[in-house]
Amino acid sequence: MKVISTIAEMRAALKDERLAGRTIGLVPTMGYLHIGHLALVRHARQSCDVTVASIFVNPTQFGPNEDLSTYPRNLERDLKLLEAEGVDYVFTPDAAEIYRPGAETIVETTHLSRILIGRIRPGHFRGVTTVVSKLFNIVQPERAFFGEKDYQQLAIIRRMVTDLDIPVEVVGVPTVREEDGLACSSRNALLTPEDRKAAVVLSKAVAAAEALAAGGERSVAAIRKTMLKVLEAEPRGAVEAVDIRDAEDLSKVAGKFDKPVVVLLTVRFGKVRLIDQRVIGL
Ligand SMILES: Nc1ncnc2c1ncn2[C@@H]1O[C@H](COP(=O)(O)OP(=O)(O)OP(=O)(O)O)[C@@H](O)[C@H]1O
Ligand SMILES: CC(C)(CO)[C@@H](O)C(=O)[O-]
Ligand code: BAL
Protein backbone atom coordinates (compact mmCIF):
# COMPACT_ATOMS: atom_id res chain seq x y z
CA MET A 1 0.00 0.00 0.00
CA LYS A 2 1.35 3.40 -0.99
CA VAL A 3 0.58 6.48 1.06
CA ILE A 4 0.66 9.64 -1.06
CA SER A 5 0.08 13.20 0.05
CA THR A 6 0.54 15.27 -3.11
CA ILE A 7 -1.73 15.63 -6.11
CA ALA A 8 1.19 15.33 -8.54
CA GLU A 9 2.36 11.99 -7.09
CA MET A 10 -1.18 10.65 -6.94
CA ARG A 11 -1.75 11.51 -10.61
CA ALA A 12 1.57 9.96 -11.68
CA ALA A 13 0.93 6.69 -9.82
CA LEU A 14 -2.62 6.35 -11.17
CA LYS A 15 -1.59 7.19 -14.72
CA ASP A 16 0.51 4.02 -14.76
CA GLU A 17 -2.39 1.95 -13.36
CA ARG A 18 -4.70 3.36 -16.02
CA LEU A 19 -2.21 2.70 -18.81
CA ALA A 20 -2.05 -0.90 -17.62
CA GLY A 21 -5.84 -1.05 -18.18
CA ARG A 22 -6.78 -1.27 -14.51
CA THR A 23 -10.09 0.13 -13.18
CA ILE A 24 -9.88 2.48 -10.23
CA GLY A 25 -12.28 2.67 -7.26
CA LEU A 26 -12.27 5.63 -4.87
CA VAL A 27 -13.43 5.63 -1.25
CA PRO A 28 -13.42 9.21 0.11
CA THR A 29 -13.28 9.48 3.92
CA MET A 30 -12.43 11.88 6.69
CA GLY A 31 -10.54 9.15 8.57
CA TYR A 32 -10.97 7.72 12.09
CA LEU A 33 -12.10 4.62 10.31
CA HIS A 34 -14.71 2.14 11.46
CA ILE A 35 -16.31 -0.94 9.95
CA GLY A 36 -18.69 1.25 7.91
CA HIS A 37 -15.73 2.71 6.03
CA LEU A 38 -14.24 -0.77 5.63
CA ALA A 39 -17.50 -1.95 4.01
CA LEU A 40 -17.02 0.79 1.38
CA VAL A 41 -13.45 -0.44 0.82
CA ARG A 42 -14.66 -4.03 0.41
CA HIS A 43 -17.22 -2.97 -2.19
CA ALA A 44 -14.49 -1.07 -4.04
CA ARG A 45 -12.11 -4.03 -3.93
CA GLN A 46 -14.81 -6.34 -5.28
CA SER A 47 -15.59 -4.27 -8.34
CA CYS A 48 -12.35 -2.43 -9.19
CA ASP A 49 -8.76 -3.53 -9.87
CA VAL A 50 -7.18 -0.71 -7.87
CA THR A 51 -8.61 0.76 -4.66
CA VAL A 52 -7.78 4.29 -3.55
CA ALA A 53 -8.96 5.55 -0.15
CA SER A 54 -8.63 9.21 0.71
CA ILE A 55 -8.31 10.58 4.24
CA PHE A 56 -8.91 14.30 4.41
CA VAL A 57 -10.76 16.23 7.12
CA ASN A 58 -12.13 18.80 4.73
CA PRO A 59 -12.23 22.20 6.46
CA THR A 60 -14.66 23.77 3.98
CA GLN A 61 -17.52 21.48 4.99
CA PHE A 62 -17.38 22.58 8.64
CA GLY A 63 -19.18 25.72 9.82
CA PRO A 64 -17.39 28.27 12.04
CA ASN A 65 -18.92 26.84 15.23
CA GLU A 66 -18.61 23.20 14.28
CA ASP A 67 -16.21 20.47 15.38
CA LEU A 68 -13.32 20.76 12.88
CA SER A 69 -10.73 21.08 15.65
CA THR A 70 -12.12 18.20 17.71
CA TYR A 71 -12.95 15.89 14.80
CA PRO A 72 -11.40 12.53 15.78
CA ARG A 73 -8.16 11.63 14.01
CA ASN A 74 -5.78 8.65 14.11
CA LEU A 75 -3.83 8.31 10.87
CA GLU A 76 -1.55 5.53 12.08
CA ARG A 77 -4.46 3.28 13.03
CA ASP A 78 -6.35 4.18 9.82
CA LEU A 79 -3.38 3.16 7.66
CA LYS A 80 -3.09 -0.21 9.44
CA LEU A 81 -6.79 -0.90 8.87
CA LEU A 82 -6.60 0.06 5.19
CA GLU A 83 -3.48 -2.04 4.63
CA ALA A 84 -5.20 -5.05 6.20
CA GLU A 85 -8.13 -4.55 3.77
CA GLY A 86 -5.79 -4.66 0.77
CA VAL A 87 -6.12 -1.00 -0.24
CA ASP A 88 -3.59 -0.04 -2.93
CA TYR A 89 -3.23 3.71 -2.39
CA VAL A 90 -4.13 6.10 0.42
CA PHE A 91 -4.32 9.77 -0.47
CA THR A 92 -3.58 11.92 2.60
CA PRO A 93 -3.24 15.52 1.43
CA ASP A 94 -3.13 18.43 3.84
CA ALA A 95 -5.44 21.42 3.50
CA ALA A 96 -2.77 23.52 1.74
CA GLU A 97 -2.42 20.87 -0.97
CA ILE A 98 -6.15 20.82 -1.67
CA TYR A 99 -6.93 24.54 -1.27
CA ARG A 100 -4.17 26.56 -2.89
CA PRO A 101 -3.75 30.32 -2.58
CA GLY A 102 -6.13 32.24 -4.81
CA ALA A 103 -8.63 29.39 -5.15
CA GLU A 104 -12.14 30.73 -5.66
CA THR A 105 -14.06 28.06 -7.56
CA ILE A 106 -16.81 26.14 -5.80
CA VAL A 107 -19.16 23.35 -6.85
CA GLU A 108 -22.65 23.45 -5.42
CA THR A 109 -26.03 21.91 -6.01
CA THR A 110 -28.26 24.94 -5.68
CA HIS A 111 -31.37 23.31 -4.16
CA LEU A 112 -30.39 19.99 -2.58
CA SER A 113 -27.54 21.57 -0.62
CA ARG A 114 -29.90 23.96 1.15
CA ILE A 115 -32.59 21.61 2.44
CA LEU A 116 -32.66 19.19 5.40
CA ILE A 117 -29.10 18.96 6.81
CA GLY A 118 -28.16 21.87 4.54
CA ARG A 119 -30.52 24.08 6.56
CA ILE A 120 -28.95 22.98 9.83
CA ARG A 121 -25.39 23.21 8.42
CA PRO A 122 -25.35 26.10 5.90
CA GLY A 123 -22.46 25.72 3.44
CA HIS A 124 -21.74 22.13 4.48
CA PHE A 125 -22.72 20.46 1.21
CA ARG A 126 -20.97 23.14 -0.87
CA GLY A 127 -17.78 22.06 0.92
CA VAL A 128 -18.58 18.39 0.26
CA THR A 129 -19.33 18.79 -3.47
CA THR A 130 -16.31 21.02 -3.99
CA VAL A 131 -13.88 18.58 -2.36
CA VAL A 132 -15.48 15.49 -3.89
CA SER A 133 -15.29 16.99 -7.38
CA LYS A 134 -11.62 17.79 -6.72
CA LEU A 135 -10.99 14.22 -5.55
CA PHE A 136 -12.77 12.92 -8.68
CA ASN A 137 -10.49 15.08 -10.85
CA ILE A 138 -7.33 14.04 -9.00
CA VAL A 139 -8.06 10.29 -8.90
CA GLN A 140 -10.32 9.97 -11.97
CA PRO A 141 -11.92 6.77 -10.69
CA GLU A 142 -14.35 4.60 -12.64
CA ARG A 143 -16.41 4.18 -9.46
CA ALA A 144 -16.69 5.99 -6.15
CA PHE A 145 -18.28 4.57 -3.00
CA PHE A 146 -20.40 6.45 -0.45
CA GLY A 147 -22.45 5.32 2.55
CA GLU A 148 -26.25 5.37 2.64
CA LYS A 149 -26.06 6.61 6.25
CA ASP A 150 -25.32 10.00 4.66
CA TYR A 151 -28.20 9.59 2.19
CA GLN A 152 -28.58 13.29 1.45
CA GLN A 153 -24.85 13.49 0.68
CA LEU A 154 -25.17 10.48 -1.64
CA ALA A 155 -28.16 12.07 -3.42
CA ILE A 156 -26.25 15.34 -3.82
CA ILE A 157 -23.19 13.63 -5.25
CA ARG A 158 -25.36 11.68 -7.71
CA ARG A 159 -26.99 14.99 -8.76
CA MET A 160 -23.59 16.66 -9.20
CA VAL A 161 -22.23 13.78 -11.31
CA THR A 162 -25.32 13.84 -13.54
CA ASP A 163 -25.44 17.63 -13.88
CA LEU A 164 -21.73 18.04 -14.63
CA ASP A 165 -21.40 14.90 -16.81
CA ILE A 166 -18.68 13.55 -14.55
CA PRO A 167 -17.72 10.07 -15.81
CA VAL A 168 -17.80 8.38 -12.39
CA GLU A 169 -20.26 5.70 -11.31
CA VAL A 170 -21.49 6.58 -7.81
CA VAL A 171 -22.16 3.46 -5.70
CA GLY A 172 -24.22 3.64 -2.49
CA VAL A 173 -23.33 1.15 0.26
CA PRO A 174 -25.85 0.08 2.97
CA THR A 175 -25.29 1.42 6.50
CA VAL A 176 -23.19 -0.72 8.82
CA ARG A 177 -24.44 -0.69 12.41
CA GLU A 178 -23.06 -1.40 15.88
CA GLU A 179 -24.48 -4.39 17.76
CA ASP A 180 -27.25 -2.34 19.36
CA GLY A 181 -28.28 -0.82 15.99
CA LEU A 182 -26.54 2.57 16.20
CA ALA A 183 -25.11 3.47 12.77
CA CYS A 184 -21.29 3.38 12.89
CA SER A 185 -19.94 6.93 12.75
CA SER A 186 -16.59 8.51 13.56
CA ARG A 187 -18.37 10.98 15.82
CA ASN A 188 -19.71 8.15 18.02
CA ALA A 189 -16.25 8.22 19.65
CA LEU A 190 -17.02 11.73 20.96
CA LEU A 191 -20.10 10.59 22.94
CA THR A 192 -20.00 10.19 26.71
CA PRO A 193 -20.75 6.58 27.79
CA GLU A 194 -24.27 7.67 28.86
CA ASP A 195 -24.93 9.41 25.55
CA ARG A 196 -23.52 6.44 23.63
CA LYS A 197 -26.12 4.20 25.28
CA ALA A 198 -28.89 6.71 24.70
CA ALA A 199 -27.93 7.19 21.04
CA VAL A 200 -29.51 3.86 20.15
CA VAL A 201 -32.75 5.84 20.02
CA LEU A 202 -31.95 6.96 16.43
CA SER A 203 -31.88 3.44 15.05
CA LYS A 204 -34.92 2.54 17.18
CA ALA A 205 -36.86 5.37 15.55
CA VAL A 206 -35.75 4.24 12.08
CA ALA A 207 -36.68 0.64 12.91
CA ALA A 208 -40.12 1.79 14.11
CA ALA A 209 -40.65 3.61 10.80
CA GLU A 210 -39.57 0.54 8.85
CA ALA A 211 -41.86 -1.72 10.85
CA LEU A 212 -44.85 0.57 10.25
CA ALA A 213 -44.14 0.74 6.50
CA ALA A 214 -43.65 -3.03 6.34
CA GLY A 215 -47.06 -3.42 8.02
CA GLY A 216 -48.69 -1.30 5.28
CA GLU A 217 -48.70 2.17 6.88
CA ARG A 218 -48.35 4.81 4.14
CA SER A 219 -49.17 7.98 6.05
CA VAL A 220 -46.15 10.27 6.38
CA ALA A 221 -47.72 12.01 9.39
CA ALA A 222 -48.39 8.72 11.21
CA ILE A 223 -44.85 7.45 10.67
CA ARG A 224 -43.32 10.77 11.69
CA LYS A 225 -45.46 10.88 14.85
CA THR A 226 -44.28 7.41 15.88
CA MET A 227 -40.64 8.33 15.24
CA LEU A 228 -40.96 11.49 17.34
CA LYS A 229 -42.56 9.49 20.16
CA VAL A 230 -39.62 7.05 20.16
CA LEU A 231 -37.07 9.90 20.06
CA GLU A 232 -38.75 12.00 22.72
CA ALA A 233 -38.72 9.05 25.14
CA GLU A 234 -34.94 9.64 25.39
CA PRO A 235 -34.36 12.96 27.15
CA ARG A 236 -30.56 12.99 26.55
CA GLY A 237 -31.03 13.58 22.81
CA ALA A 238 -32.09 16.98 21.43
CA VAL A 239 -34.09 16.24 18.27
CA GLU A 240 -33.08 18.67 15.50
CA ALA A 241 -34.98 17.20 12.57
CA VAL A 242 -37.19 14.30 11.57
CA ASP A 243 -38.09 14.29 7.89
CA ILE A 244 -39.63 11.87 5.44
CA ARG A 245 -38.85 12.65 1.81
CA ASP A 246 -39.09 11.13 -1.65
CA ALA A 247 -36.12 8.73 -1.86
CA GLU A 248 -35.26 9.74 -5.40
CA ASP A 249 -35.11 13.54 -5.27
CA LEU A 250 -35.66 14.36 -1.57
CA SER A 251 -38.81 16.34 -2.42
CA LYS A 252 -41.55 16.75 0.19
CA VAL A 253 -44.16 14.02 0.43
CA ALA A 254 -47.63 14.93 1.65
CA GLY A 255 -50.37 12.56 2.80
CA LYS A 256 -49.68 8.99 1.78
CA PHE A 257 -46.65 7.82 -0.13
CA ASP A 258 -46.77 5.48 -3.13
CA LYS A 259 -43.04 5.45 -3.91
CA PRO A 260 -40.05 4.65 -1.66
CA VAL A 261 -39.30 7.36 0.89
CA VAL A 262 -36.26 8.11 3.01
CA VAL A 263 -36.42 8.95 6.71
CA LEU A 264 -33.80 11.45 7.85
CA LEU A 265 -33.04 12.05 11.52
CA THR A 266 -30.69 14.50 13.20
CA VAL A 267 -30.31 14.31 16.96
CA ARG A 268 -27.75 16.11 19.13
CA PHE A 269 -26.20 14.62 22.25
CA GLY A 270 -24.41 17.52 23.93
CA LYS A 271 -22.29 18.97 21.13
CA VAL A 272 -22.26 15.76 19.09
CA ARG A 273 -24.66 15.71 16.14
CA LEU A 274 -25.68 12.23 14.98
CA ILE A 275 -27.67 11.32 11.91
CA ASP A 276 -29.43 8.25 10.61
CA GLN A 277 -31.00 8.14 7.17
CA ARG A 278 -32.71 5.14 5.63
CA VAL A 279 -34.93 4.30 2.70
CA ILE A 280 -38.15 2.59 3.68
CA GLY A 281 -39.69 0.75 0.77
CA LEU A 282 -43.17 -0.24 -0.21
N1 LIG B 1 -22.10 3.23 9.25
C1 LIG B 1 -21.73 3.42 7.98
N2 LIG B 1 -22.01 2.49 7.05
C2 LIG B 1 -21.64 2.67 5.75
N3 LIG B 1 -20.98 3.77 5.30
C3 LIG B 1 -20.68 4.71 6.20
C4 LIG B 1 -21.03 4.60 7.57
N4 LIG B 1 -20.58 5.71 8.24
C5 LIG B 1 -19.98 6.49 7.31
N5 LIG B 1 -20.04 5.90 6.09
C6 LIG B 1 -19.56 6.47 4.85
O1 LIG B 1 -18.16 6.62 4.88
C7 LIG B 1 -17.79 7.73 4.07
C8 LIG B 1 -16.89 8.63 4.86
O2 LIG B 1 -17.61 9.16 5.94
P1 LIG B 1 -16.96 9.92 7.15
O3 LIG B 1 -15.48 9.77 7.09
O4 LIG B 1 -17.56 11.26 7.30
O5 LIG B 1 -17.40 9.01 8.35
P2 LIG B 1 -18.58 9.14 9.33
O6 LIG B 1 -18.50 8.01 10.25
O7 LIG B 1 -19.84 9.38 8.55
O8 LIG B 1 -18.20 10.42 10.13
P3 LIG B 1 -19.13 11.43 10.83
O9 LIG B 1 -19.14 10.98 12.23
O10 LIG B 1 -18.35 12.65 10.53
O11 LIG B 1 -20.47 11.46 10.19
C9 LIG B 1 -19.09 8.42 3.66
O12 LIG B 1 -19.43 7.99 2.35
C10 LIG B 1 -20.06 7.88 4.66
O13 LIG B 1 -21.40 7.86 4.20
C1 LIG C 1 -17.45 12.57 1.27
C2 LIG C 1 -16.52 13.24 2.28
C3 LIG C 1 -15.26 12.39 2.47
C4 LIG C 1 -16.09 14.60 1.70
O1 LIG C 1 -15.23 15.26 2.57
C5 LIG C 1 -17.22 13.46 3.63
O2 LIG C 1 -18.30 14.33 3.51
C6 LIG C 1 -17.59 12.19 4.31
O3 LIG C 1 -16.71 11.62 4.92
O4 LIG C 1 -18.76 11.75 4.23
N1 BAL D 1 -20.08 12.10 6.95
C1 BAL D 1 -20.39 13.50 6.82
C2 BAL D 1 -19.22 14.37 7.06
C3 BAL D 1 -19.49 15.53 7.96
O1 BAL D 1 -20.35 15.40 8.85
O2 BAL D 1 -18.88 16.58 7.81
Side-chain angles (χ1 to χ4, degrees), residues 54-126:
S54 62
I55 299 179
F56 179 58
V57 183
N58 174 36
T60 65
Q61 69 189 69
F62 288 80
N65 299 316
E66 289 186 351
D67 56 352
L68 175 60
S69 60
T70 54
Y71 195 82
R73 291 165 167 88
N74 190 340
L75 184 60
E76 205 181 311
R77 179 174 166 273
D78 288 349
L79 294 179
K80 278 193 194 133
L81 288 170
L82 293 174
E83 175 125 58
E85 288 297 326
V87 165
D88 301 288
Y89 297 92
V90 188
F91 184 44
T92 58
D94 62 16
E97 179 71 7
I98 294 292
Y99 298 108
R100 292 180 298 278
E104 60 172 290
T105 307
I106 54 166
V107 178
E108 185 170 26
T109 56
T110 50
H111 170 66
L112 288 178
S113 68
R114 293 182 191 170
I115 60 172
L116 303 163
I117 287 182
R119 277 172 81 100
I120 301 173
R121 304 184 65 186
H124 167 66
F125 287 116
R126 180 174 60 221

Side-chain angles (χ1 to χ4, degrees), residues 6 39 109 121 134 146 148 205 209 217 251:
T6 69
T109 56
R121 304 184 65 186
K134 284 171 72 70
F146 296 89
E148 288 177 357
E217 181 60 80
S251 60

Side-chain angles (χ1 to χ4, degrees), residues 28-30 56 58 61 124 128 131-132 135 146 150 153 157:
T29 82
M30 301 209 304
F56 179 58
N58 174 36
Q61 69 189 69
H124 167 66
V128 170
V131 83
V132 169
L135 291 169
F146 296 89
D150 298 273
Q153 170 171 281
I157 290 165

Side-chain angles (χ1 to χ4, degrees), residues 27-37 39-40 61 71 145-150 153 173-177 183-188 273-275:
V27 178
T29 82
M30 301 209 304
Y32 211 76
L33 303 180
H34 50 66
I35 50 173
H37 297 113
L40 304 187
Q61 69 189 69
Y71 195 82
F145 299 81
F146 296 89
E148 288 177 357
K149 186 203 78 184
D150 298 273
Q153 170 171 281
V173 176
T175 304
V176 177
R177 294 174 183 277
C184 298
S185 169
S186 307
R187 288 188 175 94
N188 291 351
R273 179 176 281 132
L274 296 183
I275 66 170

